[in-house]
Amino acid sequence: MKSPPGDELRLLLVALADPLVACDGQERIVLLTRSAERLLGWTEEELRGQPFTLLVPQRLHTIGGRSLLRYLLERCLQHGGHSILMPLQRQGGTELLLEVSTGHVAEGKQERITLSLRRVPEVPLPSPEPFAQDLTVKHWKYGHLGARLHPGTARRHYQLIFENAPLGIFHFDTTPVITTCNDYFTRIVGSPKQLLIGLNLLTLHDPRALACIRATLDGKHARYEGDYVSATADKVTPVRAHFAPCHDWEGKVSGGVGIVEDITAQRRIEEERARLLREAHAAIRVRDDFLTIASHELKTPLTPLSLRLANLERKLERGESVDPTALRHARQQLLRLTSLINDLLDTSRIESGGLALHPQPTRLDALVEHVIHVTERLYDGEHRVHFHRPAQPLHVRGDPYRLEQVITNLVENALKYSPDGGPVHVSLEVRDSLALLSVSDHGIGIPADQQQHLFERYFRARNVPTRSYGGLGLGLYICRDIIERHGGRIWVESEVGRGSTFYVALPTLTETQEPLVRSPGHVVH
C-alpha cells in the first residue's frame, strides 16, 4: 500500500541532508528535520507549535519593525534567494553562526516559510553574505580570494602544524565567532567541529573566559586557567589557555587564537601532591603533639617517685620507720612509668610486625577477676568495680599476658574517666558462641564523631584535657591489635556526659573464629 502523498513528502523532508526548519504563516514551527535536531539541540516534539523566535537571539527578534522571518523573505525576493550568514540559538542559549537560505510558498489560506541551514564551512565559500545587524564577519568578506587560490608550501606547513599540534587550537574573528579549530581542541571540549565552528563565544557562561576574549579583541594577550564547562556538551575539563590577538595587513586586530591545554593529569598530580603534603603536615603535628604529651607523661610519675624515694632514703638513714602507704604510692608511680614505656615498646613492635603472641587455653573469667582485684588495690578503694560473672567458667584460646593487658587497659580507662567514686561495671557472658566482655563507666563520654578514631594511634578525644587525664593515646590502639589478632573485635558505645561502654568479643575455646555481627551505631575495629 502506498503512503499518502503528505506522509511521503514528510519522509523526504526529514531525510534531507541539510537541516531544515519550516514555519506556518503565524511564524510557528511546524517541522524540524533530524539533521536540524542534531544541529540545534532540540527535538521536533519540543519545538512543534513554538514561535520561531525561540531559535533567534533576542537582539534579532525584530529588524526595522519587522520580524526576522519577514525580513528574510523580503531579502530573498530582493537578492534572488542568496544565502546569508546569521546566528541562531541552540537549546541552552549558545549561538551558532549558520548559512541560512529562505524559501516561501502561499496557497490559499496556507503559508509555509522554510529555512535551510548549513553550518559555516572551515574554508570560506564565496556565496554567503554576512548578516548586517550586530554581526561583522570580515573573514568572510575578505576570504573569498584566498578560498580560490591553491595553498602554498607555507600554508600547507601551517595546516600540518595546526592539525597535529599537541595542544587545542582555535581561531575566532571579531564577531567573535569560531572560524576553525583542530581535532585536539574538539577532544578537549567534547564537541564536534560542526557545533564548534560558527559558535559565538560571547554566549559562553564563564565570565573569566569572556574577559580573555574581550582582552584579545582589544589587542592584548590573556591567560585562563580553570574548569571549562562546555557550551555544547555535558563535559567539564580542567584547562589552561593562552589567548593571543591576530592582526591584518594594516595592523588592525582581525580576531584571535586560543591555545588550550588539557591539565586533567596535572590537576590530579597537584591534588595528590597537596594531599600528601597535608598528610605530612598532619603527621608532623601528630608527632610533635605526641612528643609533647610523652615527655609530660614520662615526667609526671618520675617526679613524685624521685621525691618519695629520696624521703624514704632519709628516713632509713635516720633509722625511722617507713610508712607502707608511701611505698605503695611509689610503687604505683613506678608501675605507671613501666606501663608508659611498655606501651611505647608495644607500639613499635606492632608497627614492625614483631608483637609476639603465645596462645594457650585461658580461663577468661578468672583473668578478669584477677585484673579487677589488682586494680582495686592500686586505686586504694577509691572506686568500686562491680563484676557480673558468667554462670560457668569461660575458656578462650589466647595469650594470657596480652589479654590481661587489654582488660587492665579497659578497666583503668573506665576508672580514670569516671567521676570520683563513680562505679564501674564489668560483665562477661557467652553470646552467640562468643565470649563478650563489657566495661561500663558513668564518666565524661566520647563525642560521636570521635568514636571512629578512638582506636587509632596517638588519638585522644577532643573533650579529654591532657592535664586532667594522662596517657599517650596508645592503649586502645594496642588493644585493638591484640584483640584482632585473637580473631576478635573491639568497639565502643558512648554518649557525652553519660559514660561509655567498651565491648570485646572473642571466640570461645570450643568455637571456630566467626565475624562479629554488630548492631547499628556501633563503631567496630
Side-chain angles (χ1 to χ4, degrees):
M1 179 183 293
K2 288 188 177 180
S3 299
D7 291 346
E8 187 172 349
L9 176 60
R10 183 178 181 83
L11 287 174
L12 290 173
L13 290 174
V14 171
L16 285 175
D18 284 343
L20 181 73
V21 179
C23 299
D24 60 17
Q26 284 73 45
E27 302 187 12
R28 294 190 299 265
I29 298 171
V30 296
L31 176 68
L32 194 73
T33 62
R34 300 284 171 75
S35 53
E37 288 181 337
R38 291 191 294 271
L39 181 65
L40 298 174
W42 299 85
T43 65
E44 185 183 17
E45 288 75 14
E46 291 172 325
L47 288 182
R48 190 184 300 121
Q50 297 293 329
F52 177 71
T53 52
L54 195 62
L55 301 178
V56 180
Q58 179 68 36
R59 64 184 185 277
L60 301 179
H61 279 192
T62 58
I63 302 172
R66 295 158 294 175
S67 69
L68 176 63
L69 278 182
R70 297 301 168 185
Y71 168 81
L72 293 176
L73 287 177
E74 182 178 319
R75 184 192 169 282
C76 178
L77 293 174
Q78 293 174 353
H79 296 273
H82 285 180
S83 58
I84 186 172
L85 289 173
M86 61 170 289
L88 285 182
Q89 199 163 252
R90 281 175 49 81
Q91 186 177 34
T94 58
E95 292 182 16
L96 282 177
L97 184 65
L98 300 171
E99 181 183 338
V100 180
S101 299
T102 311
H104 176 257
V105 64
E107 291 186 3
K109 295 182 179 180
Q110 283 196 339
E111 182 181 14
R112 290 292 183 266
I113 306 168
T114 60
L115 294 97
S116 178
L117 313 177
R118 184 174 298 175
R119 69 178 183 86
V120 176
E122 294 182 54
V123 179
L125 299 175
S127 56
E129 299 177 16
F131 191 64
Q133 182 160 329
D134 198 21
L135 187 64
T136 303
V137 192
K138 292 182 180 179
H139 175 78
W140 299 93
K141 182 176 180 181
Y142 299 108
H144 299 172
L145 180 62
R148 295 172 182 173
L149 298 177
H150 296 291
T153 303
R155 181 176 177 82
R156 287 197 300 271
H157 287 169
Y158 172 77
Q159 289 177 336
L160 183 66
I161 295 171
F162 181 85
E163 286 299 337
N164 294 281
L167 298 169
I169 304 175
F170 67 96
H171 289 275
F172 54 94
D173 58 22
T174 55
T175 308
V177 163
I178 295 179
T179 57
T180 187
C181 62
N182 64 358
D183 291 335
Y184 199 97
F185 179 69
T186 66
R187 292 197 295 271
I188 290 176
V189 301
S191 300
K193 281 188 179 182
Q194 49 264 49
L195 292 183
L196 291 173
I197 296 176
L199 177 67
N200 190 332
L201 295 174
L202 292 181
T203 61
L204 297 177
H205 300 299
D206 190 326
R208 293 191 299 124
L210 290 174
C212 290
I213 293 163
R214 292 190 177 100
T216 304
L217 295 179
D218 286 338
K220 304 172 185 176
H221 287 252
R223 286 174 171 80
Y224 171 94
E225 182 171 335
D227 293 332
Y228 171 73
V229 182
S230 174
T232 57
D234 185 18
K235 184 179 181 183
V236 179
T237 308
V239 298
R240 183 182 294 125
H242 180 194
F243 293 84
C246 296
H247 300 83
D248 58 20
W249 294 107
E250 299 175 356
K252 298 179 180 179
V253 175
S254 59
V257 62
I259 303 174
V260 184
E261 178 185 6
D262 184 347
I263 59 171
T264 301
Q266 297 177 27
R267 178 75 63 81
R268 289 173 183 164
I269 292 173
E270 290 172 359
E271 290 174 352
E272 179 66 12
R273 186 185 297 118
R275 184 186 66 80
L276 292 174
L277 185 61
R278 287 194 303 270
E279 290 180 355
H281 286 161
I284 291 172
R285 286 195 301 272
V286 169
R287 181 204 64 187
D288 292 344
D289 291 345
F290 170 73
L291 291 176
T292 301
I293 295 171
S295 62
H296 170 75
E297 288 297 315
L298 291 172
K299 288 178 183 177
T300 298
L302 278 175
T303 301
L305 178 61
S306 177
L307 291 175
R308 284 193 173 92
L309 290 177
N311 187 37
L312 289 172
E313 185 180 19
R314 286 193 298 271
K315 285 187 175 183
L316 289 173
E317 289 175 351
R318 293 194 296 264
E320 297 178 4
S321 61
V322 176
D323 185 2
T325 303
L327 288 174
R328 186 167 60 254
H329 287 164
R331 183 169 178 271
Q332 287 177 345
Q333 299 299 333
L334 182 61
L335 289 174
R336 180 179 177 186
L337 181 61
T338 303
S339 176
L340 292 172
I341 294 173
N342 285 338
D343 282 351
L344 289 171
L345 293 174
D346 285 344
T347 300
S348 177
R349 294 187 186 108
I350 290 172
E351 295 300 311
S352 64
L355 184 67
L357 294 181
H358 304 284
Q360 62 188 58
T362 301
R363 185 174 167 181
L364 190 59
D365 58 307
L367 195 61
V368 173
E369 193 163 9
H370 168 72
V371 169
I372 293 174
H373 177 69
V374 172
T375 305
E376 284 184 325
R377 287 179 57 193
L378 287 174
Y379 277 82
D380 201 18
E382 295 177 7
H383 292 267
R384 285 293 300 165
V385 180
H386 302 280
F387 181 33
H388 306 278
R389 297 169 179 79
Q392 301 291 333
L394 205 165
H395 294 84
V396 297
R397 181 171 179 80
D399 185 324
Y401 170 74
R402 293 300 179 184
L403 291 178
E404 180 180 347
Q405 182 179 354
V406 170
I407 300 166
T408 300
N409 185 281
L410 296 180
V411 173
E412 287 187 349
N413 277 353
L415 296 173
K416 180 167 62 174
Y417 293 113
S418 295
D420 292 341
V424 170
H425 295 272
V426 179
S427 174
L428 182 63
E429 60 181 311
V430 177
R431 184 182 297 179
D432 297 332
S433 303
L434 293 170
L436 182 64
L437 171 71
S438 65
V439 180
S440 301
D441 63 67
H442 299 282
I444 61 175
I446 305 159
D449 61 336
Q450 305 280 293
Q451 294 175 24
Q452 59 183 338
H453 303 290
L454 200 59
F455 298 89
E456 296 175 2
R457 185 178 53 170
Y458 308 136
F459 181 81
R460 296 173 63 89
R462 64 170 180 266
N463 65 331
V464 179
T466 304
R467 294 185 178 275
S468 301
Y469 302 95
L472 300 176
L474 296 176
L476 293 176
Y477 169 75
I478 296 170
C479 288
R480 182 193 66 177
D481 183 80
I482 292 172
I483 293 301
E484 288 185 348
R485 292 177 63 190
H486 278 80
R489 295 289 184 270
I490 182 171
W491 71 90
V492 64
E493 293 178 354
S494 183
E495 186 177 345
V496 174
R498 308 193 72 171
S500 305
T501 300
F502 283 83
Y503 294 91
V504 172
L506 292 167
T508 58
L509 185 62
T510 57
E511 298 294 333
T512 57
Q513 178 180 343
E514 294 181 3
L516 177 65
V517 179
R518 60 191 179 100
S519 303
H522 290 178
V523 177
V524 178
H525 291 271

